[in-house]
Amino acid sequence: MTLDQLEKGRICHVTGFISGCDDLVVKLREIGFAESDEVELMHRGPLGAQPLCFRLNRTLIALRSDEARAIEVDASA
C-alpha cells in the first residue's frame, strides 16, 4: 500500500519507496521519511483531498497525493 491510500487516523510504518522516482525519493528523505518511521494521516485538504497532512514521528508534514504515492507503507499493525 502507498501512503496516499492511508485512512485518516491510521498509523503505519514506512517500508520503502517506489522505484523510478529518484529525485522525489531524495526530497522525501531530506524531509525526514525513512524506512520503519511511524506515519499517521491526520487530515485531508478540502479541495480534491489535497494537501495531505501526516504526522511523521513527532512532526507534521504536508504532501501532495503524488508525493505520498511514492512512499510504500505497512498498515497491518
Side-chain angles (χ1 to χ4, degrees), residues 3-76:
L3 196 54
D4 66 312
Q5 300 169 326
L6 197 62
E7 301 166 8
K8 184 176 177 179
R10 186 85 185 261
I11 296 174
C12 64
H13 289 88
V14 176
T15 58
F17 300 90
I18 302 295
S19 60
C21 306
D22 296 337
D23 292 339
L24 179 56
V25 170
V26 168
K27 176 185 169 188
L28 293 169
R29 286 192 182 277
E30 287 174 351
I31 292 171
F33 285 93
E35 287 80 354
S36 76
D37 280 345
E38 186 176 273
V39 181
E40 178 183 2
L41 177 59
M42 303 298 291
H43 183 72
R44 289 185 182 270
L47 301 174
Q50 290 195 57
L52 304 170
C53 178
F54 296 97
R55 181 185 55 78
L56 173 65
N57 299 319
R58 293 173 27 169
T59 304
L60 294 179
I61 296 177
L63 296 176
R64 294 183 209 109
S65 293
D66 60 336
E67 295 168 331
R69 197 171 298 119
I71 302 170
E72 297 174 329
V73 296
D74 178 15
S76 62

